[in-house]
Every structure is written in structure tokens, then in C-alpha cells.
Amino acid sequence: MPLVSMRQLLDEAAKGAYGVGAFNVNNMEQIQAIMEAARETKSPAIVQASRGARSYSQDRFLYHLMLAATELYPEIPTVLHLDHGNSVETCKSAIAMGFTSVMMDGSLMPDGKTPSTFEYNVKATREVVETAHSKGITVEGEIGCLGGIEDGHGAGLDGLSHLTDPEQAVEFVRETGVDALAIAIGTSHGAYKFTSKPTGETLKMDRLLEIHRRLPNTHLVMHGSSSVPKDLQDIINQYGGKLKPTWGVPIEEIQLGIKNGVRKINVDTDNRLAITGAIRKVFWEKPEEFDPRSYLKPARDAMKKVVAQRMTQFGQAGHAGDYAPISLEAMAKRYQQHLTA
Ligand code: G3H
Ligand code: 13P
Ligand code: ZN
């Protein structure tokens, strides 16, 4: 089947009361890992690429690899999503290239660092919604800023300074018509999210519950949702790495989110850890090796294992065959007939 809209996957996830992991990719092996995990667990798949990933893969390599994925895994409903689009232009260029879903992250200015105003965010996001929906493409917006690198405070610091305001979230959804809403509840991108297991003081699940209470029909998105498992940290450190002790988002908190409106869960760091650990292990144990396949294959297998585990934990496993794809043209018609978030 062709690439499908993310709106369809998330609507189905809401009906079935499960979440869908969105996994970042930069290269062929990462795409293969996700598609193999999706086949093994019979899961729908959201593959997402950041601006950095688009630049690394020269855009066209990524797009054609995704076409290969749809050819080789025709039974898997698959979305190609732009992660953290920094401007209207970036989103439009992704749409032109064939992405079936885009994130307009107007919570930050186009520099990707400076927190923006509510008015700027609404204006930019609405413009993307108008363009995207006319083509049946899904839009994710963000209100509030994550901690760490995303708001320019430096990795791992202060995920609590720009939490999503529930009242603003309601206004934002009403003003923009986004299909999915990313919220800030204390998480950060990367490995260094929390210095100890998060509590209600550092990971604000109560805020998420309040937003869901006010927006019961909006698909919520949790960014910075890697769990940063100790065993993956340990493998890296055992084979010469130097990660400092750190904590991610516990799976049970994500599962609580899924019971309360979270439909998309962004995971990149856990896969980076799995890949790096596997490569380090080969380099450490077999220093004579120099065929890239000798370490890329275990790296791909390690990522597949993490993705399959997350697909099962988020509840999307078993749902790949539940529905027939809706074409982007049909989605565009549905938006014309005032499909709202
Ligand atoms: O948003 C963060 C994702 O992990 C993507 O990271 O911008 O380094 O590709 P990146
Ligand atoms: P992690 O760094 O926790 O994997 O988050 C990824 C993310 O939110 C991508 O948008
Ligand atoms: Zn993110």
C-alpha cells in the first residue's frame, strides 16, 4: 500500500485505545529495523525524519528508501512524518517531497531554539494546516517547549520552564485545526532527561491528564519519550563508552498517557543507544573486523528489538491489518467537509 496519512493511523489508535510509536530515521538500516519490527508485531508504523535527517540523507535517498519500504512491506500501514519542522517553508518542502504528515513546531522560532509567542505559533501552524489539509496530509503542532536542546537552555536542563498551559492548548487547537498536539510535560530530547527516576515533580503527568480532560478528542503526542533503559546504557559503557547515569520516561508513565489521549510517542534516543551499543560490542570483541556489515547488521537487529518491544508496550501490535488505507485525496475531501481534530 502507498504511504498513508498519520491522521488515519491516529484515529484508528484512538478507536482501539492504543498508542503508536514514531521512530526517527536517518538511513536504510534504521528504516529496515522499523519495518521488520512492524512486520514481526503486525503493527502500523510511523517513520519520522528531522531536518537533520533530511539533510544527512539528501532528502531523496530517504524518500526512495521509504518507497522501497512500502513495496517490501505492503501489509503495513506506514506514515512518513516530518519531525520538528522549524518553519512553514520546511513543512511545505516536506509536503512537496512526499511526506504524508508534518510537524510544524511553532513553539520555537525558526532557529529551533528560541521560544516563540503564542500568536506566531498559531499563525505559522495554521498556514501549514491550510496547505497540508488541502492535500490530505496530517499536521502535528506543539504548544509549550520541551527541556534540553529544544529550548536552547542546554542539554538536560529545565524541562519545567515552558510546560504546556491547558487553556492555551484548547485555544491553539481551536485556532489552528491541527490533527495532533505535542505537549510539554517535563521531558527533554536526548539521553539526559532526569537525574533520578522521575516523580510527579519532574514528569508532569497531572498536566497531561488536565489537557486531555479539556481536549478529549485531540490526539496528544509525547516527545522526548525514550525510556533510556539501564541495560542499553550498560552495554555502551561496558564496551568503552562514557555515558553518565541517567533516567528516561518510564514505560508505565507512557502507558498512563495512552489511557489518557496520547496517540503518538516519539522515540529516537533508545534506538541510538541500541545501535551504538551493538557497534561498540563488535569493535571491542572483534577489533580485526572491518566489513561494515559485521557491525551494521547487529546494530540493525538491536534497533529492531527495541522498536518491537515499544510497539508491543504501546499497544499498536496486532493492529496493522485492522483497516484499509484511505487515500490522501479522500483525506483531503474529508478535511473539506470539515473534519476537525
Ligand atoms: O527531535 C529530536 C530527534 O531525536 C531528532 O534528532 O535533529 O538530531 O535528527 P536530530
Ligand atoms: P527522545 O530523545 O526521548 O528519543 O525523543 C525523540 C523525539 O521526541 C523526537 O521528536
Ligand atoms: Zn521531539
Side-chain angles (χ1 to χ4, degrees):
M1 74 177 81
L3 291 168
V4 297
S5 75
M6 188 166 81
R7 178 68 194 244
Q8 185 185 11
L9 258 70
L10 300 189
D11 284 349
E12 289 290 338
K15 274 190 237 161
Y18 59 88
V20 185
F23 305 100
N24 289 74
V25 299
N26 299 276
N27 61 25
M28 180 181 76
E29 287 77 9
Q30 289 176 303
I31 295 173
Q32 290 172 322
I34 297 169
M35 298 313 296
E36 276 297 306
R39 172 164 284 168
E40 186 176 284
T41 60
K42 300 187 173 50
S43 295
I46 301 174
V47 177
Q48 63 185 11
S50 67
R51 271 191 304 148
R54 290 177 65 188
S55 146
Y56 179 79
S57 65
Q58 299 161 277
D59 246 2
R60 302 304 296 166
F61 278 114
L62 180 76
Y63 181 64
H64 285 274
L65 287 168
M66 288 306 297
L67 291 186
T70 61
E71 267 176 46
L72 294 170
Y73 300 84
E75 80 282 17
I76 305 295
T78 304
V79 175
L80 176 57
H81 173 78
L82 170 69
D83 191 26
H84 293 285
N86 65 320
S87 66
V88 175
E89 291 66 39
T90 301
C91 293
K92 286 187 176 170
S93 76
I95 292 169
M97 208 193 63
F99 280 71
T100 53
S101 179
V102 293
M103 176 183 190
M104 173 63 226
D105 184 355
S107 71
L108 301 172
M109 295 306 286
D111 67 3
K113 289 185 193 160
T114 314
S116 68
T117 62
F118 180 74
E119 291 70 30
Y120 166 85
N121 194 356
V122 167
K123 187 169 179 293
T125 306
R126 191 162 51 201
E127 194 178 333
V128 173
V129 167
E130 278 162 18
T131 305
H133 283 186
S134 72
K135 297 175 165 57
I137 288 163
T138 311
V139 180
E140 173 184 338
E142 175 166 326
I143 185 91
C145 302
L146 267 71
I149 51 170
E150 203 190 25
D151 62 5
H153 293 313
L157 293 179
D158 205 1
L160 300 173
S161 57
H162 299 286
L163 293 176
T164 303
D165 174 62
E167 208 173 298
Q168 266 197 351
V170 173
E171 203 182 331
F172 184 78
V173 169
R174 193 177 52 229
E175 295 284 315
T176 59
V178 285
D179 300 281
L181 182 68
I183 56 171
I185 54 169
T187 68
S188 318
H189 289 124
Y192 299 104
K193 301 182 193 303
F194 303 106
T195 50
S196 57
K197 189 172 180 211
T199 63
E201 291 305 305
T202 49
L203 177 60
K204 299 284 189 185
M205 295 305 292
D206 53 348
R207 185 68 64 115
L208 186 151
L209 267 53
E210 173 62 13
I211 296 166
H212 177 56
R213 197 181 63 73
R214 295 191 191 210
L215 287 170
N217 300 317
T218 298
H219 302 313
L220 301 180
V221 183
M222 277 176 72
H223 281 247
S225 290
S226 277
S227 298
V228 196
K230 173 101 170 40
D231 58 332
L232 294 182
Q233 297 178 43
D234 288 348
I235 293 174
I236 290 182
N237 288 338
Q238 184 184 345
Y239 297 108
K242 281 208 172 92
L243 293 177
K244 290 171 284 186
T246 178
W247 278 261
V249 182
I251 295 293
E252 58 275 18
E253 301 292 357
I254 297 173
Q255 288 169 335
L256 173 66
I258 293 169
K259 288 200 180 84
N260 291 280
V262 170
R263 298 292 159 238
K264 174 173 183 271
I265 304 103
N266 282 18
V267 174
D268 185 2
T269 296
D270 285 352
N271 292 323
R272 293 181 177 194
L273 294 172
I275 287 171
T276 300
I279 291 177
R280 279 194 173 279
K281 184 167 190 290
V282 174
F283 284 175
W284 186 271
E285 288 178 345
K286 299 180 186 161
E288 72 285 1
E289 273 291 359
F290 58 90
D291 179 344
R293 290 169 297 194
S294 71
Y295 50 89
L296 292 180
K297 197 167 176 301
R300 187 174 61 189
D301 290 344
M303 173 163 164
K304 178 193 157 189
K305 201 170 143 203
V306 172
V307 173
Q309 194 181 30
R310 295 289 174 274
M311 286 173 160
T312 304
Q313 291 162 331
F314 300 162
Q316 72 204 86
H319 289 287
D322 287 359
Y323 45 94
I326 301 174
S327 70
L328 294 179
E329 294 71 29
M331 285 304 294
K333 283 213 185 83
R334 289 175 55 171
Y335 286 121
Q336 265 174 15
Q337 292 155 7
H338 305 295
L339 172 72
T340 51

